[in-house]
Amino acid sequence: MVVFNMTKKQFKQFLLMGRGECYLLAKDNHNEYKDIILWACTHKIFYDTYNDDYNASYLYQFIKLYDQNEFYNRIVTCYKKTKYGEKFNYLSWLLICFYQDGKKEARELLMDNFLKIYYLIAKNKSDANSLSSFDELATILAYDKKSYLGLEIIIDSLRKHDKNFSIDKYETITKRKYLKIKENEIVNSKIVTEEEIIDLFNKYQKEKKAIYLQKILYGNYKLDVSKIIDVSELIFDINEVENDALYYIFQLFYTIKNNKVKKWARQNINDNNFQALLPIIIRNYKDEDENLILHYLRKYHYSFYNEDDNHLAIETICKQKKIAKSIIYYAYNHCYCSFCRINLFLLMKKRNILLEDMKKAHKYDALEEIKKINL
């Protein structure tokens, strides 16, 4: 459940998630949370980077509760010391918020950095981080409060600063050679028949090679493998096979519902292996699993800086349409991943279990998908 009476530690935790509850608290208690907001202005506070523009707008609504100059000066000082990359990009989005509020010098600072990176690229001295920041700045600088202006303003500025500038040169410089990740050669996504799945499973039983399990896993995207083979037979191989095969055994357990596999997971789960077994129980959820799942969810270490250990469990909860609402609420209040939080929100909305306090807070959320639905 959403609780508005938070400690400062809880406030910071919810701020790192992008939760609207923090804004409602800060609005009525300016001084109590100011130090945390100041800290947030010079740190990358979001688990995901895909929506930095909305993340910056989220934090800027807090900044407007205070003396904006104090926050602006702190951000600029940090910005000038920050290397190109994720944090730099996030601070750039914060600065454009100030520009949109009337601080023209903020945009000048962004343009200065855009030109610096432009010359790095032109001289073939760029790296992955500077290219990332160049692309981000190009988007930011072309953005106006009410509309996208395109590249005209950027090109005009480049013409003023580069005597040899031409459109052809700009296009050449901005074309990237991104490495294409080749599909693993052993993956055969053309598997479409039951006979092929059965044949692969039989080959695995004889040879115990991961390649066959991997192909079965990819075949499951097109066929319901649970109706073709009994994956519970793989339980007997857990202590016998190499790590690569073991990895795909568990991937199949996480993907395919099977009562025998769930029974095995329930019988063997403990404090040492719950991170591997709990998602299996969640995937095969029944009402009697509620207390067991909550028990082990509370044992995870939930951290903004490392969510890998609990992410699979929460991601699996998102896919269970009939799971207990107590589990959904717990996952939602401990989830830093934006994608999972959106999916949990949509699940709550679909089941009509959104609390009134949640609805009030969602209006100030960092995630546009959540804000739009509640507007």
Side-chain angles (χ1 to χ4, degrees):
M1 293 180 66
V2 176
V3 179
F4 281 98
N5 294 322
M6 297 184 203
T7 63
K8 293 185 78 170
K9 182 179 180 181
Q10 290 170 326
F11 179 91
K12 187 175 180 179
Q13 176 187 336
F14 270 38
L15 187 75
L16 292 171
M17 294 178 187
R19 298 280 292 268
E21 292 88 338
C22 296
Y23 178 78
L24 292 172
L25 277 173
K27 190 170 70 167
D28 296 328
N29 303 274
H30 291 199
N31 295 328
E32 186 172 355
Y33 302 108
K34 182 180 177 181
D35 58 329
I36 299 177
I37 305 303
L38 278 167
W39 170 85
C41 285
T42 55
H43 292 78
K44 181 98 177 59
I45 67 167
F46 295 99
Y47 183 77
D48 308 292
T49 60
Y50 84 101
N51 58 347
D52 271 346
D53 48 347
Y54 295 127
N55 291 340
S57 298
Y58 167 76
L59 190 59
Y60 193 70
Q61 69 183 338
F62 291 88
I63 293 172
K64 292 200 289 186
L65 298 174
Y66 303 95
D67 175 11
Q68 289 168 249
N69 286 325
E70 179 183 1
F71 284 80
Y72 176 77
N73 292 334
R74 178 172 289 217
I75 292 167
V76 168
T77 300
C78 179
Y79 189 68
K80 290 178 177 179
K81 297 177 182 177
T82 300
K83 294 180 180 179
Y84 300 128
E86 285 187 2
K87 181 179 176 180
F88 179 90
N89 299 346
Y90 167 64
L91 293 174
S92 297
W93 278 108
L94 268 178
L95 286 172
I96 205 65
C97 290
F98 282 95
Y99 166 72
Q100 291 169 349
D101 239 6
K103 275 202 174 293
K104 294 182 179 180
E105 59 267 35
R107 193 177 185 287
E108 293 171 4
L109 183 58
L110 293 170
M111 180 56 79
D112 286 345
N113 277 281
F114 180 79
L115 292 169
K116 286 177 184 177
I117 304 175
Y118 171 80
Y119 286 118
L120 283 176
I121 298 170
K123 295 175 182 178
N124 214 18
K125 293 183 178 180
S126 61
D127 58 16
N129 285 332
S130 58
L131 288 174
S132 165
S133 293
F134 183 81
D135 290 339
E136 203 75 11
L137 284 168
T139 300
I140 293 169
L141 290 166
Y143 182 70
D144 184 72
K145 195 166 188 176
K146 295 181 179 179
S147 65
Y148 281 89
L149 302 178
L151 292 173
E152 290 87 350
I153 52 174
I154 295 174
I155 290 171
D156 285 345
S157 296
L158 290 173
R159 282 197 179 102
K160 292 176 183 176
H161 290 86
D162 184 355
K163 294 178 181 178
N164 299 317
F165 177 83
S166 69
I167 295 295
D168 289 341
K169 181 180 178 182
Y170 178 80
E171 289 179 349
T172 300
I173 287 172
T174 55
K175 282 179 181 175
R176 309 280 180 265
K177 291 182 179 179
Y178 293 109
L179 290 175
K180 291 185 178 179
I181 300 173
K182 294 183 179 179
E183 289 187 11
N184 196 319
E185 292 178 2
I186 67 173
V187 175
N188 181 2
S189 59
K190 295 181 180 179
I191 298 170
V192 292
T193 68
E194 293 185 14
E195 289 76 15
E196 287 174 294
I197 295 292
I198 293 170
D199 182 55
L200 286 167
F201 196 62
N202 290 336
K203 286 180 178 178
Y204 166 77
Q205 297 286 41
K206 292 178 182 178
E207 302 176 33
K208 305 300 181 186
K209 291 183 179 179
I211 180 175
Y212 302 122
L213 295 180
Q214 187 183 26
K215 289 184 177 183
I216 291 171
L217 182 65
Y218 277 80
N220 190 58
Y221 292 117
K222 299 183 178 181
L223 295 170
D224 185 355
V225 172
S226 66
K227 295 179 179 178
I228 305 171
I229 59 174
D230 183 1
V231 292
S232 68
E233 293 181 31
L234 299 173
I235 293 172
F236 302 105
D237 292 339
I238 286 174
N239 295 319
E240 306 295 331
V241 296
E242 299 294 330
N243 285 340
D244 54 349
L246 184 63
Y247 169 81
Y248 285 106
I249 287 175
F250 273 90
Q251 290 304 310
L252 284 166
F253 287 172
Y254 297 145
T255 306
I256 299 169
K257 287 187 176 183
N258 185 288
N259 288 329
K260 293 177 185 177
V261 174
K262 178 198 170 178
K263 183 179 179 181
W264 165 80
R266 279 196 63 120
Q267 290 173 342
N268 290 276
I269 193 169
N270 58 51
D271 288 357
N272 296 319
N273 65 18
F274 72 93
Q275 293 180 355
L277 299 190
L278 186 60
I280 296 172
I281 299 170
I282 297 171
R283 181 74 180 90
N284 296 274
Y285 176 79
K286 294 283 174 57
D287 289 344
E288 63 264 23
D289 301 320
E290 179 180 359
N291 291 333
L292 178 70
I293 292 171
L294 283 170
H295 172 78
Y296 282 107
L297 281 177
R298 294 185 182 109
K299 290 185 176 293
Y300 279 107
H301 174 60
Y302 296 93
S303 169
F304 166 76
Y305 300 101
N306 179 20
E307 200 177 49
D308 293 342
D309 61 345
N310 63 68
H311 193 256
L312 178 59
I314 291 180
E315 190 177 41
T316 309
I317 290 169
C318 295
K319 299 173 183 177
Q320 307 311 307
K321 296 178 181 179
K322 296 182 179 180
I323 201 164
K325 62 183 180 181
S326 60
I327 295 172
I328 299 173
Y329 290 150
Y330 189 90
Y332 187 75
N333 284 333
H334 292 81
C335 179
Y336 292 94
C337 170
S338 296
F339 294 103
C340 287
R341 200 155 69 80
I342 290 169
N343 287 329
L344 287 166
F345 165 78
L346 292 174
L347 181 58
M348 289 187 287
K349 183 173 177 60
K350 186 173 183 178
R351 288 181 50 182
N352 198 28
I353 58 173
L354 281 170
L355 304 173
E356 287 304 314
D357 283 348
M358 283 183 173
K359 293 177 183 177
K360 293 175 185 175
H362 284 151
K363 295 176 183 177
Y364 307 99
D365 203 277
L367 299 174
E368 194 69 8
E369 294 89 339
I370 291 177
K371 285 172 70 175
K372 281 192 293 189
I373 292 176
N374 277 278
L375 290 176

